[in-house]
Structure formats: structure tokens, C-alpha cells
Amino acid sequence: MELPDGLTFGEEEVLISAIEHYSYCPRQCALIHVEQTFDDNVFTIRGHLAHERVHAEDDAVSHGVRVLRAVPLWSERLRLRGTADLIELRPDGPYPVEYKVGRRQADHPDLQLCAQALCLEEMLGVAVREGAVFYHAERRRHEVLFDDTLRERTMSIVARIREILVAQRLPPAPNDARCRRCSLIKVCLPHVVAEPARLRGLKGALFQPWEPRAGDMGGWS
Ligand code: SF4
């Protein structure tokens, strides 16, 4: 499948988890995957715990279907690497399932799941047509069809993440409703960096030499 907009894949490896980060906010993706910054909030801690629970269970056979957990995934062609929470080995092909703690808010996890499907197709040489995202707060699965549109969006995001990794740059901060749920808000400072005039003022103050006044030095002068 060709990439849209004439994008090409390079050599830089992209983590599958970066796809959801980029889809949520490109700056968040760059803070984590370029600057290696990570900070937890209640949402990320719940997420880590949920993934640990899923990964800790043993592989098993459920309703006649073999279930694999914490499966390493990669694609040489797309230079992708990551881990699938769970894969059901159904008679009509592998069926990846991604676990999320909250409720469904947007389709960011679908893109991450689609990347898992692209890896599985390359690794196993079989078609992977659908999978599911399990939302713990809703106690239900959301089925995801890996159609051409979703595949193209996923590959386009992989190419854009690679551009960020190669350029080693932070995209601008959108400073919108997404920031309230973002665990990186304290390091990102979106309300500061999104306002160039305020940022210039703070930078100026930061490098202003300190001029001691009478009495500032106490008994040390
Ligand atoms: S705080 Fe806002 S702008 Fe910054 S990384 Fe998070 S979502 Fe993106």
C-alpha cells in the first residue's frame, strides 16, 4: 500500500505506542519519544496497572481459541516495534485486542491496533482484517475493522513520527481541551509556550542579571 501525500518511510524505528501519542497530540509524542520525558497522572497509572494485569495472565485456550498475551511485534518494512496486549488465534486469522482503562473518547487506540495488525501480517504472512479495543470502564470491546482508510492513516502517522524523530524537534502546543487530561502538562507548559509574547517576556526575565539592592546581602557585604 502506498503512503498518502508522497511520504516515504525511512530507517528510524518507531514504537507502536508512539502512534496513539501522536494521534492524541504530536507534541506529547515528541516529548516522550524525542525528549524521553514521561510523567504519570491518574490516567496513565491506571493504564499501566491494567496492562500489567493483562500481561501477567498465562496464555490459554478460551472457547476453543488459543489466546497469547504480551506478544512482541515488529515490522521490518515499516520499521515498527511494540507489544500486543492479547492476540486471539482464531480460525480465520489472528485477532489483536488492545486494553484501555477508561471509556472510548476517540479513535486513537484504533490506529495503534491497526499498526499491530500490520506487524502481524508481515510476521505471519496472513491477512489480519479486524481486532478490538477493550474499554475496562465500559466492560466491553469496540470492534475495529482494518480497512484501507485506517491503514493509510496509520502509515501516514508513522511517517510523521519518523520525521519528528529525525528532526529532533518539538511541535507547537495546541493548548486546548486535550491538555487537561495530559500527564505532561507540567513539563509541556502549553499555556506558556502557546503564547509567544508571554514566552518572550519570561525568557527575558530568566536571563535578567540580578542587581543587589541595599540590604539584600545582609551581613555578607
Ligand atoms: S499538555 Fe497539551 S500541548 Fe502539551 S503535550 Fe499535553 S496535550 Fe500536548
Side-chain angles (χ1 to χ4, degrees), residues 34 36 73 92 97 109 115 118 147 170 182 199:
V34 173
Q36 313 294 319
L73 299 175
D92 54 350
V97 182
L118 294 169
D147 59 16
L170 286 182
C182 178
L199 183 60

Side-chain angles (χ1 to χ4, degrees), residues 24-25 27-28 31 172-176 178-179 182 184-185 188-190:
Y24 185 78
C25 170
R27 184 174 171 87
Q28 184 195 71
L31 282 166
N175 192 25
D176 59 18
R178 286 172 278 185
C179 303
C182 178
L184 299 184
I185 189 164
C188 171
L189 299 175

